Amino acid sequence: MPSMEEVQRQLQELHVSDHRRKLMRKEIEELPNILKDNEKILRLMGGTYQTFTGMFIATNSRFLFIDKGYKGKLTLYEFKYDELLDMKYNLGWVYGKIDMLYLGKWIKLEMLEKEETESFFHFIDDQRGSFSSSIDDSTVAEIKIEKEMNPQSHRKSGLFYEVSDLQIEERPEVKEKVSRWLGFKPLDPSQEQYIKKLKKRYFWRVFLAALILAVIVISLIVQSSLIEVWKFAVFLSVLWIGGAWVLQKELNEDINKKKSTSSLVIYKYCIRYWNSFFEYLIPNSGYRIKPNVTGMFLKYGFENRRNIKITRFFHFPKLQKDRIYYISYKMKKHTETTKRMGLYFELTLPKETRQSLKSFLLVPKGNKLKSEKYTLQQSLVAHNLYTEKAIPQEQLDEIISFLQPLINRDIGVAVKFHHHLEIYLPYFLETKEQLKSEEQIQQIIDGIHLWYAFYERSIIWRYGQFPAEWKEGEEQALEY
């Protein structure tokens, strides 16, 4: 662990200016506690990652993002050079941006200093091509390092950890929150405060847009004739009003102003009461796409019906290692959709496990595959196992044991592993246009309790412990 004097000496060698050191003072003060012995800082640059604004550091052994929040909370992400699969960069008018393909998932480094983005990109790109890892290879795709962790479970074999039987927690406080949000009871103080927060965010977004438009108009008045400025000002005003209307519509949906009692309100917005990681965020352009996965599901035997259109929706961008999608169905010969939705988990496995496990498909009996890559290895009670190369029986037993709670429910669960572990639960969630009683709310909540417990169990199964942030997310969730 280097001293602060050693850190400052390394920064001096990199010619980091005093101004930059002052801006990143809080993050730099944490470096003695973060850097390992003989680890040297080779590049440093400010920028944003996800919702955090902090400092990117490239060392001789890894690539880090550090943010020390205004409340003193340290956020640290670690990336390994040999797990960066691809990179690209883009220079905007003011800032630069670097996209990295990290174990099959694109991550974004944004608001980078434009003048240094290109050299920073080439340095990282060179490192990923030549770097030979000397640190623990069990590090997962993205590790958020915390000081407090839950006690670790024991490995059953070289791949997975022991997990207890699936335990579904009732959590009546969640039902109370959902009932209030849907209008069955008055909002509690924390929910009212949350609505004020959303309205405040809406106000500042509209105000900032108006301010920018005003600056544009004033600059044009100085350079152009009043008639031309007047026409352009009218156009900008119409544009601003349209944008404000769209934002107002999104705000009304966010706060459930119409007191909608559709089950979709629970799946989309109230899911945040289970864990703050499931807080719904207004999707960017990438998340607005509703990809048609019908062909993929038919190819891998997830579905067997040809007269159905299947799309998936991603709503939880705060989850960094994994993705959870809602699946919707529409019969091609009809306009109505089915009364249920599916769930699709895309789970990241630790590197050691991922490299040791062979690609496979586990699909319900009777479902046919279009892919010729896989051959039947074993026929189970209700499923067939297809593999590219045979999977050892011990590994198969562990996978089946983990999935058993879902298999026992006879819901037609299908599983695919190729880089990620993908688990499909067809027609798993019930949808209702209008919930008329708290008993109906409880039915919807019970389904969420089940898949939430299953997802938590998957974290232990893969990593042996919960990150401290996960349990913090459960506690913070009830503050909304």
Side-chain angles (χ1 to χ4, degrees):
M1 181 182 298
S3 63
M4 178 55 72
E5 290 75 15
E6 173 63 19
V7 169
Q8 293 292 352
R9 186 187 66 78
Q10 293 185 30
L11 296 179
Q12 187 70 31
E13 291 178 354
L14 292 173
H15 305 291
V16 178
S17 67
D18 292 338
H19 176 66
R20 184 180 294 186
R21 293 191 201 189
K22 185 176 180 180
L23 290 175
M24 303 177 182
R25 176 180 57 82
K26 292 182 180 180
E27 287 78 13
I28 290 174
E29 289 175 352
E30 292 294 328
L31 289 178
N33 301 320
I34 295 172
L35 297 179
K36 303 176 185 294
D37 293 336
N38 301 321
E39 189 172 13
K40 296 186 180 299
I41 304 170
L42 302 179
R43 290 288 189 279
L44 179 147
M45 184 165 60
T48 64
Y49 177 64
Q50 299 175 22
T51 58
F52 303 102
T53 299
M55 175 176 68
F56 294 101
I57 282 191
T59 76
N60 57 328
S61 60
R62 53 184 175 161
F63 174 54
L64 304 169
F65 173 76
I66 306 168
D67 172 48
K68 188 70 176 292
Y70 72 96
K71 291 184 178 180
K73 182 178 179 180
L74 176 65
T75 300
L76 173 60
Y77 284 92
E78 175 185 13
F79 307 91
K80 300 174 69 174
Y81 292 127
D82 60 345
E83 293 178 341
L84 291 171
L85 304 180
D86 195 10
M87 295 179 64
K88 57 186 178 181
Y89 75 94
N90 181 50
L91 299 178
W93 287 356
V94 181
Y95 296 107
K97 182 178 75 169
I98 296 176
D99 294 340
M100 297 179 174
L101 182 59
Y102 196 59
L103 293 175
K105 184 188 301 183
W106 284 101
I107 60 175
K108 297 180 182 297
L109 285 54
E110 299 180 298
M111 296 189 70
L112 306 175
E113 298 159 61
K114 182 178 178 180
E115 295 75 12
E116 300 184 20
T117 298
E118 186 174 358
S119 62
F120 194 83
F121 166 84
H122 288 300
F123 176 81
I124 301 295
D125 197 32
D126 291 341
Q127 291 294 310
R128 78 180 183 89
S130 60
F131 183 75
S132 177
S133 178
S134 61
I135 58 178
D136 183 11
D137 278 343
S138 64
T139 307
V140 296
E142 294 182 33
I143 304 176
K144 199 170 184 179
I145 299 176
E146 299 281 356
K147 295 181 179 179
E148 296 181 2
M149 299 292 285
N150 292 322
Q152 192 168 24
S153 178
H154 299 288
R155 282 189 185 274
K156 292 179 66 177
S157 70
L159 294 184
F160 300 104
Y161 291 88
E162 290 185 21
V163 287
S164 59
D165 294 338
L166 182 65
Q167 303 291 329
I168 302 175
E169 189 178 354
E170 291 297 329
R171 301 182 68 184
E173 68 278 7
V174 171
K175 180 187 175 183
E176 181 72 13
K177 284 281 190 178
V178 173
S179 297
R180 291 181 182 276
W181 192 258
L182 294 181
F184 285 81
K185 299 178 182 178
L187 296 176
D188 63 27
S190 64
Q191 290 173 320
E192 292 177 348
Q193 188 65 32
Y194 178 66
I195 289 178
K196 290 180 181 178
K197 173 185 172 183
L198 292 178
K199 289 182 177 179
K200 185 176 180 181
R201 183 170 65 185
Y202 163 79
F203 169 79
W204 282 111
R205 290 171 71 183
V206 173
F207 175 77
L208 182 61
L211 183 63
I212 293 173
L213 295 180
V215 170
I216 294 174
V217 171
I218 292 173
S219 64
L220 289 173
I221 290 176
V222 176
Q223 303 176 14
S224 307
S225 67
L226 290 178
I227 295 178
E228 292 177 351
V229 172
W230 171 252
K231 293 180 180 178
F232 193 63
V234 171
F235 169 74
L236 291 179
S237 297
V238 173
L239 187 65
W240 178 79
I241 293 172
W245 179 81
V246 171
L247 290 175
Q248 179 69 47
K249 185 178 179 181
E250 291 178 343
L251 173 66
N252 291 338
E253 188 177 358
D254 280 353
I255 65 177
N256 198 23
K257 184 176 182 180
K258 296 181 179 180
K259 298 301 178 186
S260 173
T261 58
S262 166
S263 58
L264 292 177
V265 175
I266 301 179
Y267 295 138
K268 191 174 182 180
Y269 296 102
C270 295
I271 199 74
R272 64 175 179 262
Y273 292 128
W274 275 261
N275 198 302
S276 61
F277 279 91
F278 295 116
E279 179 185 3
Y280 173 76
L281 301 180
I282 296 174
N284 61 30
S285 59
Y287 296 139
R288 289 189 188 277
I289 299 173
K290 303 174 183 177
N292 185 337
V293 294
T294 309
M296 184 186 78
F297 277 28
L298 291 173
K299 177 180 179 181
Y300 294 118
F302 281 17
E303 284 286 346
N304 220 22
R305 296 191 295 171
R306 299 290 193 271
N307 63 334
I308 192 170
K309 179 182 178 182
I310 307 171
T311 54
R312 67 182 183 182
F313 307 78
F314 175 50
H315 282 310
F316 311 120
K318 276 193 172 183
L319 286 177
Q320 295 307 307
K321 298 175 185 176
D322 307 317
R323 289 192 173 186
I324 301 176
Y325 299 88
Y326 290 135
I327 302 293
S328 69
Y329 311 93
K330 185 174 183 180
M331 304 301 292
K332 291 184 177 179
K333 295 182 179 180
H334 304 281
T335 56
E336 74 274 14
T337 58
T338 62
K339 296 301 181 181
R340 303 188 74 87
M341 295 194 308
L343 267 177
Y344 190 85
F345 298 91
E346 190 177 278
L347 308 180
T348 298
L349 300 182
K351 181 180 179 181
E352 178 185 351
T353 304
R354 189 176 61 253
Q355 291 179 338
S356 301
L357 191 60
K358 307 298 182 184
S359 298
F360 72 86
L361 290 170
L362 186 70
V363 299
K365 282 187 174 179
N367 286 15
K368 297 181 180 179
L369 273 64
K370 287 187 175 181
S371 175
E372 297 179 355
K373 292 172 55 179
Y374 297 89
T375 57
L376 180 65
Q377 174 179 325
Q378 190 172 341
S379 182
L380 307 174
V381 176
H383 290 76
N384 286 327
L385 175 69
Y386 296 88
T387 59
E388 293 182 353
K389 295 181 180 180
I391 296 178
Q393 188 62 43
E394 183 183 9
Q395 294 182 8
L396 177 60
D397 291 343
E398 287 188 83
I399 296 168
I400 296 298
S401 177
F402 168 69
L403 296 170
Q404 201 64 52
L406 299 179
I407 294 174
N408 291 343
R409 284 170 170 79
D410 194 25
I411 57 177
V413 59
V415 183
K416 172 177 174 283
F417 171 72
H418 185 70
H419 299 306
H420 293 87
L421 185 66
E422 301 168 38
I423 303 174
Y424 171 49
L425 310 182
Y427 308 97
F428 185 73
L429 300 173
E430 186 176 1
T431 60
K432 290 183 179 294
E433 291 296 328
Q434 187 174 9
L435 299 168
K436 299 180 179 180
S437 67
E438 293 198 40
E439 287 74 19
Q440 290 180 324
I441 293 177
Q442 187 63 56
Q443 291 177 4
I444 302 298
I445 288 176
D446 286 343
I448 300 176
H449 281 333
L450 173 56
W451 76 253
Y452 182 79
F454 172 77
Y455 178 69
E456 282 199 319
R457 189 167 176 261
S458 80
I459 297 175
I460 300 296
W461 185 62
R462 290 175 288 158
Y463 303 113
Q465 57 194 359
F466 288 122
E469 60 186 5
W470 181 258
K471 287 303 181 184
E472 289 175 5
E474 281 192 350
E475 296 173 1
Q476 295 170 359
L478 298 177
E479 298 176 2
Y480 292 105

